[in-house]
């Protein structure tokens, strides 16, 4: 049982941290045949042989105007990748008939001697500009190769990033995998100036991927860079931590590989399984997963993770995390239709309109991913599409909410749509009533004149669902059940009536404030001491403080050192979450100084 | 000699037994399980949006190349059609093995014969949800490439260095 619990924990934030630590300890990997980095400034070869030229690029000598010395050659690099747009015009899918050549912007490259492999010292930074170009001064007669690397470290406006795309070869284990890179054929600097054009193809030919998919890792990298650039003018300094993206043609949606595209512990894992599910050209999917990274590393995200669907009744934290990730993907791409392509020839797709909700049948509320998508999209989109949509906050306000207001919120609260709305209203108090009107449209904070992080006054417990009954509703509100140290135990109830293990009513959030730092005991007891397996997780804001996940039937005792301040807990029953048809159960929870 | 009699006796008993339950020795043989795999599709709990289906599957290979694939839909959405394809890395064109059309119960069995076991099956699913028809594709692994070398790096930088 304990092992099973830990296996599940790998799907939650803390679990991934534990797994990451284990993987770090275990990795070491096989041999690498990458050339060892060599000191810059190596002397290029002096051969004056004819230009070899890259096979899929083109290298041409140009006039001597740009070269100011007969001792040097100016090599003008132009790097682009073939982008395949996704579309839902006639039917959803990738539109291979209309590829777009996109500049490979802000990507790293190296120039090295064709014979010795020694890096050539460059007078300008080895990175393309925003048009995918770079000019390189070479010694006349040098014979060099250019390595184009799927990585980027750059700064634009108030944001900086460090992104790498690596080939995990279908493996789901975290390890040090090689960076995607392509190397040109030998370039001979035999004229005052040269132009080298490198086109990275998608590999699609005559209705199938028959060639190597060189464009894919650069398409993924470009989407990540563009996502970061969305906040470049936000007036908030955003030094994004290093991000590794694992993409491979062997990344399949099954248990022998990565399973799906997802974010975990600072890394993105992206599908590349041709004719089943590829995501390298699915911009919304890439942006959605990038937002998970952004929120986890720079904002506040306490999502349970796990399976979710747009029409399900979800845990408040999961609904917020998935909802905002999709809403921001639509905003960042300035395209309200979230699109995910898959299937034979990537000719099928799933679309969801962040503006209209695509007429999906869902019960609106704070537990609905679809409601949260529409609400957040409406607050920040340009269009005013309804009587209530009179708000159009900009990305400066968005950055202030995500990286300022929410980060500094009460540590006794998790991340939910209420913490987001509270931050938005704090950042833009003049729009409070308009924002509440939009929330009202989604059955969130209905009739309330104010909203706070605790969801005070919320009355929507998903009553309009056919599955809902009185006991389920009693298991859902208030969103935070307060508990006081030294008071008698408080009863909370749980239900799997909306599904499991991350659905509405599965877990109760409890909140407490510690006045005096010291040792405390948290006791959770099942109403039926012969059944149930209570568990408890204690958090301060984004941080997991401690957890009690013993296998003991009917009770969980957690002794924990707590500093003064506010905390929140996730209290649940392991058997209810992972058993079969448990229905509902109740627990008593007590907090005492020891 | 005694063992010969015993064997003949057992054979007779077996034949009589088969006759009583209406199963020929060949059929009895054909239902002997060679291997079986089971799982869920999609398999990962962390998922992209838009996966209302939860498919459980059991693939059973019997003697005489008979295969049964039991499918159960545990999620939202009504399955209208299943189509099962064989897929191996060397395959250019998909090979459709079996399919079934609407209406489909929550649990469905696909049966077919298969001489050469592919690396995996790809299951194409048409389903209806909230009045709209959708399609999804799922991967069902049959053979894992356990001996495949996964290249990792001991130090950075570490490059693939594909030629162009």
């Amino acid at each position: 049982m304990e092992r099973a619990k830990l296996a599940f924990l790998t799907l939650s934030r803390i679990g991934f941290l534990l797994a990451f630590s284990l993987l770090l300890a275990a990795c070491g990997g096989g041999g690498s045949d990458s050339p060892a980095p060599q000191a810059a400034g190596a002397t290029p070869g002096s051969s004056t042989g004819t230009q070899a030229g890259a096979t899929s690029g083109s290298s041409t000598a140009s006039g001597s105007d740009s070269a100011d010395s007969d001792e040097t050659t100016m090599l003008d690099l132009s790097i682009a990748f073939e982008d395949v747009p996704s579309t839902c015009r006639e039917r959803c899918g990738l539109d291979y008939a209309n590829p777009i050549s996109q500049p490979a912007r802000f990507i790293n490259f190296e120039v090295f001697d064709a014979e010795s492999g020694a890096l050539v010292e460059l007078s300008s930074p080895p990175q393309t500009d925003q048009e995918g170009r770079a000019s390189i001064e070479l010694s006349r007669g040098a014979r060099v190769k250019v390595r184009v690397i799927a990585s980027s470290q750059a700064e634009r406006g108030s944001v900086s990033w460090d992104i790498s795309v690596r080939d995990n070869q279908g493996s789901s284990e975290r390890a040090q995998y090689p960076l995607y890179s392509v190397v040109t054929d030998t370039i001979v600097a035999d004229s005052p100036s040269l132009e080298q054009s490198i086109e990275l193809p998608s590999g699609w030919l005559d209705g199938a991927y028959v060639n190597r998919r060189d464009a894919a890792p650069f398409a993924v990298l470009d989407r990540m860079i563009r996502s970061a650039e969305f906040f470049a003018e936000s007036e908030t300094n955003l030094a994004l931590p290093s991000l590794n993206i694992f993409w491979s043609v062997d990344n399949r949606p099954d248990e022998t590989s990565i399973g799906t595209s997802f974010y975990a512990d600072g890394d993105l894992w992206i599908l590349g399984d041709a004719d089943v599910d590829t995501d390298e050209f699915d911009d919304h999917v890439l942006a959605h997963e990038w937002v998970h990274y952004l929120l986890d590393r720079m904002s506040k995200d306490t999502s349970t993770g796990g399976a979710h669907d747009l029409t399900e009744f979800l845990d408040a934290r999961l609904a917020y995390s998935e909802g905002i990730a999709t809403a921001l993907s639509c905003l960042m791409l300035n395209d309200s239709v979230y699109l995910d392509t898959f299937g034979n020839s990537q000719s099928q797709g799933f679309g969801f309109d962040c503006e209209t909700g695509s007429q999906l049948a869902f019960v609106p509320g704070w537990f609905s991913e679809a409601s949260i998508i529409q609400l957040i999209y409406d607050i920040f989109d340009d269009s005013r599409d309804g009587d209530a949509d009179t708000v159009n906050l900009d990305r400066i306000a968005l950055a202030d909410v995500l990286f300022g207001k929410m980060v500094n919120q009460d540590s006794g609260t998790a991340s939910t749509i209420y913490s987001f709305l509270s931050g938005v209203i704090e950042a833009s108090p003049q729009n409070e009533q308009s924002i509440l009107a939009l929330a009202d449209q989604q059955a969130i904070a209905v009739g309330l004149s104010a909203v706070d992080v605790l969801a005070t006054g919320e009355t929507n417990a998903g009553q309009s669902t056919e599955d809902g009954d009185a006991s389920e509703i009693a298991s859902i509100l208030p969103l935070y059940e307060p508990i006081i140290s030294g008071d008698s135990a408080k009863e909370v109830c749980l239900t799997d009536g909306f599904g499991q293990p991350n659905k509405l009513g599965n877990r109760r959030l409890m909140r407490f404030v510690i006045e005096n730092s010291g040792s405390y005991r948290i006791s959770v007891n099942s109403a039926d001491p012969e059944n149930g397996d209570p568990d408890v997780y204690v958090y301060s804001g984004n941080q997991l403080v401690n957890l009690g996940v013993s296998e003991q039937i009917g009770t969980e005792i957690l002794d924990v050192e707590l500093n003064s301040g506010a905390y929140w807990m996730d209290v649940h029953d392991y058997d209810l979450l992972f058993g079969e048809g448990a229905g509902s159960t109740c627990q008593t929870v007590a907090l005492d100084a020891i | 000699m005694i063992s010969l009699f015993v064997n003949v006796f057992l054979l007779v008993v077996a034949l009589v037994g088969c006759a009583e339950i209406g199963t020929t020795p060949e059929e009895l043989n054909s239902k002997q399980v060679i291997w079986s795999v089971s799982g869920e599709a999609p398999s990962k709990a962390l998922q992209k949006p838009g996966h209302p289906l939860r498919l459980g599957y059991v693939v059973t290979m019997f003697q005489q190349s008979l295969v049964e694939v039991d499918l159960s839909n545990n999620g939202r959405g009504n399955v209208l059609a299943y189509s099962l394809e064989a897929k191996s890395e060397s395959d250019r064109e998909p090979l459709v093995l079996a399919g079934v059309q609407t209406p489909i119960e929550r649990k469905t069995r696909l049966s077919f014969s298969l001489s050469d076991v592919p690396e995996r099956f790809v299951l194409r699913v048409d389903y209806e949800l909230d009045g709209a028809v959708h399609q999804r594709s799922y991967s069902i692994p049959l053979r894992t490439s356990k001996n495949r070398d996964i290249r990792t790096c001991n130090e950075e930088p570490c490059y693939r260095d594909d030629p162009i």
Side-chain angles (χ1 to χ4, degrees), chain A residues 523-535:
Chain A
S523 309
V524 187
N525 292 296
S526 298
D528 177 0
E530 303 300 319
N531 285 299
D533 180 7
D535 286 340

Side-chain angles (χ1 to χ4, degrees), chain A residues 505-533:
Chain A
N506 286 172
R507 302 152 186 265
R508 291 308 302 267
L509 303 182
M510 304 190 76
R511 168 187 160 82
F512 60 89
V513 177
I514 296 296
E515 300 291 347
N516 301 307
S517 301
S519 299
Y520 290 83
R521 170 165 292 178
I522 298 168
S523 309
V524 187
N525 292 296
S526 298
D528 177 0
E530 303 300 319
N531 285 299
D533 180 7

Side-chain angles (χ1 to χ4, degrees), chain A residues 28-29 167 254 260 273 275 307, chain B residues 45-46 120 124 139 152 154 160:
Chain A
D167 180 11
D254 64 46
T260 186
D273 191 10
D275 295 326
Chain B
L46 282 166
R120 57 177 165 150
R124 316 281 185 194
S139 178
T152 56
N154 289 324
R160 261 183 63 111

